[in-house]
Amino acid sequence: MADHTGIEWADATWNPIVGCSVLSPGCTNCYAMGMAARIEAMQPGSHYAGTTKPTKAGAVWSGKLALAPDHIITQPLHWSRPRRIFVNSMGDLFHEDAPDHWIDRVFAVMALAPQHTFMVLTKRSARMRQYLAEDRRNWRCASVDGLFPQRTDASRQARDRLARLTAPGVPAPLENVWLGASTERQAEWDARVPDLKATPAVVRFISAEPLLGPIVGDFSLINLAIVGGESGPKARPMHPDWARSLRDQCAAAGTAFFFKQWGEWRWAPDKAHFKELLEDRWTRLASGREGVRPALMVREGKRAAGRLLDGVEHNAMPEARS
């Protein structure tokens, strides 16, 4: 949990459930695995204990999940200033081993904090679709007992709000909860976006970060695309044409496009400008499309590589709720 974050598209992070397991190529260099291991080392006995295991390649997820303590679960209720909150940056809310009643509590908190916008990103799109396709009206009231164990004014107000949300005729999706799917390559787009589109939501988004290959898709019903290259010591480069294609597809569909970063590697159109760099900091990256020349990529680090795509910083977001 952090009231401030370096993630460009969020104001805060909130981790009511921690822990995960590797699922697809986008997980290979997941920053959260190393961070969870560091937290576990610095805070012995915390709820992060056992969520990672050491390997020769570094810390990796063990598959163990843990529910955070109550003071973390209820933290957004105490933030009065509106924030855009990334939910579960240290795991996956819809992990197959997360019990429904854990997810119930998370949605109850989000329902009780309408001042915030919660962005839920998952690689388990099928579980998200199944969970939200069910009639979830009873969980909202049932979850209040765990959030407010004493019958205080806060508890009564919470029950009143949840009762209004569960009234007949009230749309099921929470207006302040944006639902997203990770789509690092075409394969993940093809597998996850149909689930995302079939999930009831006011705002749907995809996160193509790290973008590991070209993606061509139908952006109807997708309100936002977050795109970026990989960072970290083992980062894989992102071909500029992959990002450009997504930018152009979003423009054609009227979808907001947010270019988060180049990551460790940046496109270098002219190597002559970088003669001083060592050869091991260069790579030629194929686009994956026939007839398109490889791009020359230079490893400069996330900060130096920056966030400009063809000289433009893209920060578009869906229009705010009325």
Side-chain angles (χ1 to χ4, degrees):
M1 177 186 66
D3 193 12
H4 302 283
T5 178
I7 299 172
E8 287 80 358
W9 46 267
D11 303 312
T13 58
W14 174 48
N15 287 286
I17 299 172
V18 299
C20 202
S21 55
V22 173
L23 183 66
S24 62
C27 303
T28 301
N29 299 322
C30 175
Y31 75 92
M33 293 190 294
M35 185 176 294
R38 290 192 292 273
I39 294 174
E40 182 177 353
M42 293 185 297
Q43 302 176 17
S46 75
H47 58 295
Y48 281 89
T51 57
T52 65
K53 59 184 179 182
T55 71
K56 292 182 179 179
V60 299
W61 294 122
S62 67
K64 177 186 175 183
L65 274 60
L67 186 67
D70 285 350
H71 74 276
I72 292 178
I73 294 175
T74 59
Q75 185 61 55
L77 303 178
H78 305 291
W79 289 339
S80 57
R81 177 177 58 81
R83 294 159 170 80
R84 188 184 297 131
I85 301 173
F86 179 16
V87 180
N88 260 52
S89 63
M90 299 297 292
D92 192 323
L93 182 64
F94 293 102
H95 192 281
E96 53 272 19
D97 292 334
D100 275 358
H101 66 271
W102 287 9
I103 306 174
D104 291 347
R105 296 192 71 192
V106 175
F107 269 82
V109 170
M110 295 190 294
L112 293 171
Q115 71 273 27
H116 303 312
T117 296
F118 295 90
M119 298 180 69
V120 179
L121 178 64
T122 185
K123 288 183 171 66
R124 278 82 175 174
S125 57
R127 171 86 190 279
M128 177 175 68
R129 176 182 180 179
Q130 179 271 329
Y131 177 87
L132 288 164
E134 297 176 0
D135 184 356
R136 310 304 305 183
R137 296 182 182 278
N138 290 334
W139 63 252
R140 295 171 181 169
C141 293
S143 298
V144 174
D145 290 334
L147 297 171
F148 303 98
Q150 298 178 350
R151 291 188 173 276
T152 61
D153 287 343
S155 176
R156 286 190 292 272
Q157 292 172 5
R159 290 178 182 278
D160 289 344
R161 173 166 175 75
L162 294 178
R164 291 194 297 273
L165 288 171
T166 59
V170 176
L174 295 173
E175 292 186 354
N176 65 325
V177 177
W178 297 4
L179 299 177
S182 295
T183 57
E184 61 263 40
R185 304 173 306 172
Q186 187 72 51
E188 285 71 38
W189 172 283
D190 293 343
R192 298 168 184 166
V193 169
D195 288 326
L196 177 62
K197 289 185 176 183
T199 302
V202 174
V203 172
R204 299 178 183 87
F205 69 99
I206 61 104
S207 174
E209 184 206 356
L211 182 56
L212 301 178
I215 295 174
V216 177
D218 175 11
F219 276 83
S220 63
L221 301 182
I222 303 300
N223 306 97
L224 167 66
I226 300 169
V227 177
E230 194 168 44
S231 58
K234 299 178 182 178
R236 294 157 285 186
M238 172 184 65
H239 196 289
D241 284 351
W242 303 343
R244 290 176 180 135
S245 174
L246 288 173
R247 174 198 62 194
D248 296 345
Q249 290 177 71
C250 286
T255 298
F257 177 78
F258 192 103
F259 187 68
K260 181 176 179 288
Q261 62 183 30
W262 278 101
E264 291 293 313
W265 297 85
R266 181 175 66 83
W267 177 50
D270 185 358
K271 184 176 178 179
H273 292 298
F274 302 95
K275 288 182 178 179
E276 70 280 7
L277 294 178
L278 298 175
E279 286 298 320
D280 62 3
R281 292 177 64 180
W282 293 94
T283 189
R284 292 186 181 275
L285 182 64
S287 72
R289 293 190 298 165
E290 185 177 354
V292 178
R293 296 179 60 186
L296 189 63
M297 308 297 297
V298 59
R299 184 168 195 142
E300 292 189 311
K302 177 181 174 179
R303 180 170 299 190
R307 298 186 53 225
L308 300 182
L309 178 60
D310 292 333
V312 178
E313 187 174 291
H314 296 272
N315 296 312
M317 281 283 168
E319 293 184 6
R321 304 187 309 276
S322 59

